[in-house]
Short mmCIF file of all heavy atoms in Angstrom, two decimals:
data_model
loop_
_atom_site.label_atom_id
_atom_site.label_comp_id
_atom_site.label_asym_id
_atom_site.label_seq_id
_atom_site.Cartn_x
_atom_site.Cartn_y
_atom_site.Cartn_z
N ASP A 1237 -12.77 18.71 0.96
CA ASP A 1237 -12.59 17.27 1.17
C ASP A 1237 -13.99 16.67 1.22
O ASP A 1237 -14.66 16.71 2.25
CB ASP A 1237 -11.83 17.03 2.48
CG ASP A 1237 -11.55 15.56 2.75
OD1 ASP A 1237 -12.19 14.71 2.10
OD2 ASP A 1237 -10.71 15.27 3.61
N GLY A 1240 -14.98 14.11 3.88
CA GLY A 1240 -14.95 14.53 5.28
C GLY A 1240 -13.51 14.67 5.72
O GLY A 1240 -12.58 14.73 4.90
N ASN A 1245 -6.57 13.74 2.98
CA ASN A 1245 -6.66 13.61 1.53
C ASN A 1245 -5.32 14.07 0.93
O ASN A 1245 -5.00 15.26 0.94
CB ASN A 1245 -7.82 14.46 1.00
CG ASN A 1245 -8.05 14.27 -0.48
OD1 ASN A 1245 -7.21 14.63 -1.29
ND2 ASN A 1245 -9.20 13.72 -0.83
N MET A 1266 -14.96 28.18 2.13
CA MET A 1266 -16.00 28.80 2.95
C MET A 1266 -17.15 29.17 2.02
O MET A 1266 -17.02 30.10 1.20
CB MET A 1266 -15.47 30.03 3.66
CG MET A 1266 -14.28 29.76 4.55
SD MET A 1266 -14.72 28.75 5.99
CE MET A 1266 -15.70 29.94 6.91
N ARG A 1271 -15.35 35.24 -3.10
CA ARG A 1271 -15.22 34.38 -4.26
C ARG A 1271 -13.77 33.87 -4.38
O ARG A 1271 -12.82 34.59 -4.09
CB ARG A 1271 -15.61 35.14 -5.54
CG ARG A 1271 -15.69 34.25 -6.79
CD ARG A 1271 -16.33 34.99 -7.94
NE ARG A 1271 -16.46 34.15 -9.13
CZ ARG A 1271 -17.45 33.29 -9.32
NH1 ARG A 1271 -18.39 33.15 -8.38
NH2 ARG A 1271 -17.50 32.56 -10.42
N TYR A 1272 -13.63 32.62 -4.84
CA TYR A 1272 -12.32 32.00 -5.00
C TYR A 1272 -11.91 32.00 -6.47
O TYR A 1272 -12.76 31.96 -7.37
CB TYR A 1272 -12.34 30.56 -4.48
CG TYR A 1272 -12.50 30.44 -2.98
CD1 TYR A 1272 -13.76 30.52 -2.39
CD2 TYR A 1272 -11.40 30.26 -2.16
CE1 TYR A 1272 -13.91 30.42 -1.02
CE2 TYR A 1272 -11.53 30.16 -0.78
CZ TYR A 1272 -12.79 30.23 -0.22
OH TYR A 1272 -12.93 30.14 1.14
N SER A 1282 -16.48 6.22 -3.90
CA SER A 1282 -17.57 6.43 -4.85
C SER A 1282 -18.92 6.57 -4.15
O SER A 1282 -19.83 7.21 -4.67
CB SER A 1282 -17.62 5.29 -5.86
OG SER A 1282 -17.78 4.04 -5.22
N ASP A 1286 -21.83 13.60 -3.31
CA ASP A 1286 -21.05 14.74 -3.78
C ASP A 1286 -21.43 16.00 -2.99
O ASP A 1286 -22.50 16.08 -2.37
CB ASP A 1286 -21.30 14.96 -5.27
CG ASP A 1286 -20.15 15.70 -5.94
OD1 ASP A 1286 -19.20 16.08 -5.23
OD2 ASP A 1286 -20.22 15.91 -7.16
N TYR A 1287 -20.55 16.97 -3.01
CA TYR A 1287 -20.81 18.27 -2.38
C TYR A 1287 -21.95 18.93 -3.15
O TYR A 1287 -21.86 19.14 -4.37
CB TYR A 1287 -19.54 19.12 -2.45
CG TYR A 1287 -19.61 20.42 -1.71
CD1 TYR A 1287 -19.40 20.47 -0.34
CD2 TYR A 1287 -19.88 21.61 -2.39
CE1 TYR A 1287 -19.45 21.68 0.35
CE2 TYR A 1287 -19.93 22.82 -1.71
CZ TYR A 1287 -19.72 22.85 -0.35
OH TYR A 1287 -19.77 24.04 0.34
N TYR A 1303 -14.59 10.12 -7.94
CA TYR A 1303 -15.23 10.72 -9.11
C TYR A 1303 -15.09 9.85 -10.37
O TYR A 1303 -15.90 9.95 -11.28
CB TYR A 1303 -14.65 12.11 -9.39
CG TYR A 1303 -15.18 13.17 -8.46
CD1 TYR A 1303 -14.33 13.82 -7.57
CD2 TYR A 1303 -16.53 13.53 -8.45
CE1 TYR A 1303 -14.81 14.80 -6.70
CE2 TYR A 1303 -17.02 14.49 -7.59
CZ TYR A 1303 -16.16 15.13 -6.72
OH TYR A 1303 -16.64 16.10 -5.87
N ILE A 1326 3.29 18.82 -8.92
CA ILE A 1326 2.46 18.83 -7.71
C ILE A 1326 2.48 17.45 -7.05
O ILE A 1326 2.56 17.35 -5.82
CB ILE A 1326 1.02 19.26 -8.04
CG1 ILE A 1326 1.01 20.67 -8.64
CG2 ILE A 1326 0.13 19.21 -6.80
CD1 ILE A 1326 -0.36 21.18 -9.05
N ASP A 1332 1.34 19.29 2.52
CA ASP A 1332 1.08 20.29 3.56
C ASP A 1332 0.26 19.62 4.65
O ASP A 1332 -0.97 19.60 4.61
CB ASP A 1332 0.33 21.48 2.95
CG ASP A 1332 -0.01 22.54 3.99
OD1 ASP A 1332 0.46 22.43 5.15
OD2 ASP A 1332 -0.76 23.48 3.65
N GLN A 1341 -0.58 14.81 13.13
CA GLN A 1341 0.43 15.19 14.12
C GLN A 1341 1.44 14.05 14.27
O GLN A 1341 1.11 12.96 14.71
CB GLN A 1341 -0.23 15.50 15.46
CG GLN A 1341 0.72 16.08 16.49
CD GLN A 1341 -0.01 16.53 17.74
OE1 GLN A 1341 -1.16 16.21 17.95
NE2 GLN A 1341 0.68 17.28 18.57
N LEU A 1348 4.77 4.83 -1.93
CA LEU A 1348 6.07 4.55 -2.52
C LEU A 1348 5.90 3.89 -3.89
O LEU A 1348 6.76 4.00 -4.75
CB LEU A 1348 6.90 3.64 -1.61
CG LEU A 1348 7.31 4.24 -0.26
CD1 LEU A 1348 7.96 3.17 0.61
CD2 LEU A 1348 8.26 5.42 -0.45
N CYS A 1355 -5.08 -7.58 -10.80
CA CYS A 1355 -6.25 -7.30 -11.64
C CYS A 1355 -7.51 -8.04 -11.16
O CYS A 1355 -8.25 -8.64 -11.94
CB CYS A 1355 -5.96 -7.68 -13.10
SG CYS A 1355 -6.89 -6.70 -14.30
N LYS A 1384 5.46 8.16 12.93
CA LYS A 1384 4.61 7.14 12.34
C LYS A 1384 4.49 7.41 10.84
O LYS A 1384 4.40 8.55 10.40
CB LYS A 1384 3.22 7.14 12.99
CG LYS A 1384 2.30 6.05 12.46
CD LYS A 1384 0.95 6.05 13.18
CE LYS A 1384 0.03 4.97 12.61
NZ LYS A 1384 -1.30 4.96 13.26
N ILE A 1385 4.45 6.32 10.07
CA ILE A 1385 4.27 6.40 8.62
C ILE A 1385 3.07 5.55 8.24
O ILE A 1385 3.02 4.36 8.59
CB ILE A 1385 5.52 5.89 7.86
CG1 ILE A 1385 6.74 6.75 8.20
CG2 ILE A 1385 5.27 5.86 6.36
CD1 ILE A 1385 8.05 6.12 7.76
N THR A 1408 14.11 4.21 8.98
CA THR A 1408 13.45 5.33 9.65
C THR A 1408 13.29 5.10 11.15
O THR A 1408 13.20 6.06 11.92
CB THR A 1408 12.05 5.57 9.07
OG1 THR A 1408 11.19 4.45 9.39
CG2 THR A 1408 12.11 5.78 7.57
N ALA A 1410 10.67 4.39 12.40
CA ALA A 1410 9.32 4.88 12.68
C ALA A 1410 8.34 3.72 12.71
O ALA A 1410 8.61 2.65 12.14
CB ALA A 1410 8.92 5.89 11.61
N GLU A 1457 1.73 -19.03 7.76
CA GLU A 1457 2.42 -19.77 8.81
C GLU A 1457 3.89 -19.37 8.87
O GLU A 1457 4.46 -19.17 9.95
CB GLU A 1457 2.29 -21.28 8.55
CG GLU A 1457 0.88 -21.81 8.78
CD GLU A 1457 0.76 -23.28 8.41
OE1 GLU A 1457 1.74 -23.84 7.87
OE2 GLU A 1457 -0.33 -23.86 8.66
N ILE A 1465 4.24 -13.54 15.10
CA ILE A 1465 2.85 -13.12 15.15
C ILE A 1465 2.09 -14.01 16.12
O ILE A 1465 2.18 -15.23 16.08
CB ILE A 1465 2.20 -13.21 13.76
CG1 ILE A 1465 2.87 -12.24 12.79
CG2 ILE A 1465 0.70 -12.95 13.83
CD1 ILE A 1465 2.71 -10.78 13.16
N PRO A 1467 -1.65 -13.73 19.06
CA PRO A 1467 -2.66 -12.84 19.66
C PRO A 1467 -2.10 -11.98 20.79
O PRO A 1467 -2.68 -10.96 21.13
CB PRO A 1467 -3.72 -13.81 20.19
CG PRO A 1467 -3.54 -15.05 19.38
CD PRO A 1467 -2.06 -15.14 19.10
N TYR A 1492 -12.39 -18.95 11.03
CA TYR A 1492 -11.94 -19.85 12.09
C TYR A 1492 -10.49 -20.26 11.88
O TYR A 1492 -9.70 -20.37 12.84
CB TYR A 1492 -12.83 -21.10 12.15
CG TYR A 1492 -14.25 -20.83 12.61
CD1 TYR A 1492 -15.33 -21.40 11.95
CD2 TYR A 1492 -14.51 -20.03 13.71
CE1 TYR A 1492 -16.63 -21.18 12.36
CE2 TYR A 1492 -15.81 -19.79 14.13
CZ TYR A 1492 -16.87 -20.37 13.46
OH TYR A 1492 -18.16 -20.14 13.87
N TYR A 1502 -10.60 -9.73 9.46
CA TYR A 1502 -11.37 -8.49 9.44
C TYR A 1502 -12.31 -8.57 8.24
O TYR A 1502 -11.85 -8.58 7.08
CB TYR A 1502 -10.45 -7.27 9.33
CG TYR A 1502 -11.17 -5.95 9.51
CD1 TYR A 1502 -11.29 -5.38 10.77
CD2 TYR A 1502 -11.73 -5.28 8.43
CE1 TYR A 1502 -11.95 -4.17 10.95
CE2 TYR A 1502 -12.39 -4.08 8.59
CZ TYR A 1502 -12.50 -3.52 9.86
OH TYR A 1502 -13.16 -2.33 10.03
#
Side-chain angles (χ1 to χ4, degrees):
D1237 182 344
N1245 186 294
M1266 302 292 290
R1271 188 169 182 82
Y1272 291 82
S1282 57
D1286 204 358
Y1287 187 82
Y1303 283 115
I1326 300 178
D1332 178 8
Q1341 188 173 13
L1348 295 172
C1355 209
K1384 183 178 179 181
I1385 298 166
T1408 67
E1457 289 175 354
I1465 296 297
Y1492 292 135
Y1502 189 90

